[in-house]
Amino acid sequence: MTSSVDDADILGIVVLARHGDRILSYQNPVNYESSYTSITPVGETQARLLGSLLRSRYIARSSSSAVQGLSDTAYVDGQAAIFADASGEENVTFDTALAVTQGLWPATNASNITLAEGSVVRSPLDGYQYVPIEMIRPDNAVFLDGWTDCLKFLEELDNFYDSSAFAIKARETAEFRQSLQRFIGQSRTTALQNMWNIYDYLDVNSRYNATFAASLDLNTLGATRELASWLLLNSFSDAEPDSIVNVAGRTFIPHLLASMGRISNAADALKFVHYSASFKPFIPLFRMLNVTALHPELTSVVDFTGSVAFEVRRPRSPAVSTDFHIRMVFKNGTEDKDFIPYPMFDRQAGDFDVPLAEFRARLEVRRPSTFTMWERREADIFCQQKYGIRDTADWCDACATYSDRGCDVIRLAEQARQRPQCLAAGRDTLSPLAAGFIGVGATLAFIGFVLGLMTAFGMVNWFGRKRPTSMRRRSTSVSQMVVNIAKKKPVGGDTESGRGVVPDDREFEMMDDVSVKSGHHGLGKEITVKY
């Protein structure tokens, strides 16, 4: 049975929005790292309009979709959380989030304070509301840019470029791509790997260059967008939900579920969560939700300020259901005038609502997994695997990334911990008491290991004896020494063996015989692209 907007209360929403219009931004086809870019006044206007639409739909008391308990007069700390991706396009995503908040919570007379002598002081700009925005930096969290530095993702991207499907598409589109040379100039490549950059070049110039716009027909622009969307769909998503190709969606899912959990908790004040990001998380997310089965148009790259909102709903009549439900609505930039509901998980047209328990189960499918040193200690997570990548430690494991984004430090911490054993059903066979003894033993063993190293290299002298002068020593800290060991570097920092720290463009040895070349992760072919 499907519930309409009139027979359910909306307890809160979680919004993922692409940033607003910006100037040109080059995306490296090798790893999809972005060049510097900045938002335009058009983008700022788009974002503010998005905020105004969200306000009229979910905050205004006159709306039938108004979120229950969300203040409609002024921003209330604790009721809302705003996040912005601080990776390659951080200036654009932050400015987008800022403009969205201006539409959500416009200037108000309520933003004032009364002084002791009786006068009232209102916030600047006629009562402008300063809404906090949390910047999510790549070195601190992975949930808005999980593909960056993910070695397994880069490996799969390289495999895609080498696939027969890619070769066939390249042959089929060779003539069309060659025809684009006159628009982009001879210094830029029309290689299929570069199609997103080609489309972005045509799109931006068609909006801001009158001479260029007059020479470019809409059919050519549309065909270029379609080919770029094909490239990105296959670069960032896979039919298998647990594929690392879906990493941009898999890192976002745990935060999506956590936000829904908080909203459905009556003791939590949170009602509104907004994420400002690039287009990349949308691609695997829609595919993992099985939205594209009935709506293949959602496989195309979302427009600027394209936004998907997940409504946490509860039927007003207990006779209908006492469960929380999730409804997904989507607005593709300025192309759509309002949010449109879409069925998820292969549901039929018109069947929009999914029980929260089912929604969570669909994205948290568990199955037995092979133990690795990266798996979590908790028995229900340690013994089983989920689609979602919860945190940086999970990400390091899933991506086989051993040094970037703090993975080297995390790995050392994981190596020092004793792992429990699990039954076939995926439960911990150790009692809490036994696990506690093991934990203490592992800690003591690690301390002994470090003290042994310190003794061996002259950092500690238990018997007052002087070390032979022939032993070379380096001023290396204990923590750095342990990190060096994990990376198989000489403990004292000696580089004469040819391993450890080496000049750029040389191979160096990592854990588990993973060979990495500095400069482009050592995965696949070096692609030289002029843009």
Side-chain angles (χ1 to χ4, degrees):
M1 180 180 61
T2 303
S3 59
S4 68
V5 72
D6 295 325
D7 59 15
D9 290 326
I10 299 180
L11 305 182
I13 62 168
V14 184
V15 181
L16 174 66
R18 187 189 174 190
H19 56 71
D21 179 76
R22 45 136 180 85
I23 61 174
L24 280 173
S25 174
Y26 174 70
Q27 307 265 338
N28 188 341
V30 173
N31 52 24
Y32 279 98
E33 292 183 359
S34 303
S35 66
Y36 173 84
T37 185
S38 60
I39 198 169
T40 66
V42 171
E44 293 168 341
T45 302
Q46 292 171 335
R48 190 176 186 279
L49 289 174
L50 171 61
S52 297
L53 176 61
L54 289 169
R55 177 178 177 82
S56 65
R57 181 180 174 94
Y58 293 112
I59 298 181
R61 292 300 98 193
S62 59
S63 172
S64 59
S65 302
V67 173
Q68 299 297 301
L70 183 59
S71 172
D72 64 335
T73 55
Y75 167 80
V76 176
D77 191 30
Q79 287 194 338
I82 312 296
F83 301 92
D85 181 16
S87 57
E89 297 175 299
E90 65 176 295
N91 298 298
V92 179
T93 54
F94 176 80
D95 290 344
T96 297
L98 186 62
V100 167
T101 62
Q102 291 173 354
L104 281 166
W105 296 283
T108 173
N109 291 330
S111 184
N112 64 69
I113 192 169
T114 302
L115 303 181
E117 41 84 11
S119 62
V120 177
V121 178
R122 190 168 58 172
S123 296
L125 303 175
D126 297 324
Y128 180 86
Q129 300 191 66
Y130 296 85
V131 179
I133 299 172
E134 183 174 349
M135 298 292 287
I136 306 302
R137 301 199 173 278
D139 291 338
N140 297 333
V142 297
F143 65 90
L144 289 181
D145 71 327
W147 66 92
T148 302
D149 294 323
C150 180
L151 298 187
K152 282 190 176 180
F153 169 78
L154 297 175
E155 184 180 64
E156 290 298 328
L157 180 63
D158 189 64
N159 290 338
F160 168 56
Y161 290 159
D162 284 338
S163 68
S164 58
F166 188 89
I168 292 171
K169 179 66 74 171
R171 287 195 299 270
E172 292 175 347
T173 60
E175 184 177 351
F176 170 72
R177 289 184 288 107
Q178 186 58 40
S179 71
L180 300 176
Q181 199 77 67
R182 64 191 181 97
F183 297 109
I184 64 175
Q186 295 301 317
S187 63
R188 299 180 179 89
T189 178
T190 58
L192 183 56
Q193 291 96 326
N194 199 43
M195 278 310 300
W196 170 252
N197 291 316
I198 295 173
Y199 168 70
D200 192 54
Y201 182 88
L202 300 183
D203 184 47
V204 171
N205 279 281
S206 67
R207 292 196 305 277
Y208 297 109
N209 186 322
T211 303
F212 186 93
S215 66
L216 180 68
D217 64 275
L218 294 180
N219 290 333
T220 299
L221 183 61
T224 306
R225 179 188 176 94
E226 181 179 349
L227 188 55
S229 294
W230 177 89
L231 174 70
L232 294 173
L233 176 68
N234 289 279
S235 297
F236 284 93
S237 72
D238 189 87
E240 295 297 329
D242 60 349
S243 170
I244 197 61
V245 179
N246 294 319
V247 65
R250 291 178 61 190
T251 52
F252 179 70
I253 283 172
H255 286 262
L256 173 64
L257 295 176
S259 296
M260 291 176 176
R262 290 190 59 187
I263 290 171
S264 62
N265 181 2
D268 198 315
L270 187 66
K271 303 290 183 183
F272 184 98
V273 184
H274 186 278
Y275 298 94
S276 178
S278 72
F279 60 81
K280 299 177 182 76
F282 288 87
I283 301 172
L285 185 62
F286 284 160
R287 198 164 182 180
M288 295 178 74
L289 295 173
N290 293 342
V291 179
T292 55
L294 285 179
H295 294 277
E297 69 274 14
L298 295 187
T299 60
S300 181
V301 177
V302 299
D303 291 335
F304 292 123
T305 63
S307 305
V308 58
F310 295 91
E311 302 173 350
V312 181
R313 303 156 58 83
R314 182 172 57 196
R316 291 173 181 153
S317 172
V320 175
S321 175
T322 59
D323 297 329
F324 298 105
H325 287 72
I326 304 300
R327 175 178 292 189
M328 184 194 115
V329 294
F330 175 64
K331 179 182 181 298
N332 195 15
T334 56
E335 181 178 312
D336 297 330
K337 299 303 180 184
D338 200 353
F339 286 90
I340 302 171
Y342 288 85
M344 298 178 287
F345 303 120
D346 296 326
R347 277 172 156 72
Q348 298 301 310
D351 187 6
F352 302 122
D353 295 341
V354 179
L356 175 57
E358 178 186 344
F359 187 92
R360 182 182 298 277
R362 291 268 194 167
L363 297 177
E364 287 189 338
V365 174
R366 299 181 176 185
R367 57 197 181 169
S369 66
T370 303
F371 296 158
T372 71
M373 68 178 62
W374 295 90
E375 291 171 313
R376 305 280 61 77
R377 176 67 180 267
E378 295 82 357
D380 62 329
I381 296 174
F382 175 76
C383 300
Q384 304 194 46
Q385 184 176 359
K386 300 181 180 182
Y387 293 154
I389 297 174
R390 297 187 313 154
D391 52 26
T392 303
D394 283 349
W395 179 88
C396 295
D397 180 25
C399 292
T401 297
Y402 301 122
S403 59
D404 293 326
R405 302 179 80 162
C407 290
D408 49 357
V409 177
I410 293 173
R411 183 169 192 174
L412 288 171
E414 294 296 306
Q415 284 177 316
R417 299 170 67 179
Q418 176 69 37
R419 295 302 176 191
Q421 301 296 317
C422 298
L423 297 172
R427 301 303 302 171
D428 191 351
T429 62
L430 296 178
S431 68
L433 180 60
F437 278 115
I438 288 177
V440 172
T443 302
L444 293 175
F446 180 69
I447 293 173
F449 170 71
V450 173
L451 290 176
L453 289 176
M454 295 171 67
T455 302
F457 291 97
M459 301 180 69
V460 174
N461 192 342
W462 300 101
F463 305 104
R465 296 175 182 172
K466 187 177 180 181
R467 289 192 54 83
T469 57
S470 60
M471 178 68 73
R472 292 182 300 175
R473 298 177 61 183
R474 297 289 187 270
S475 56
T476 306
S477 67
V478 175
S479 59
Q480 184 60 47
M481 179 171 60
V482 177
V483 170
N484 288 346
I485 292 171
K487 293 182 177 180
K488 294 187 177 178
K489 293 181 181 179
V491 174
D494 181 15
T495 59
E496 295 178 2
S497 63
R499 294 294 184 181
V501 180
V502 296
D504 291 340
D505 301 323
R506 286 179 56 191
E507 283 193 71
F508 60 94
E509 186 174 313
M510 300 290 285
M511 297 287 288
D512 297 334
D513 295 324
V514 175
S515 179
V516 180
K517 291 184 179 179
S518 59
H520 68 288
H521 302 284
L523 297 172
K525 301 176 177 61
E526 182 78 49
I527 300 176
T528 302
V529 178
K530 294 182 179 179
Y531 186 69

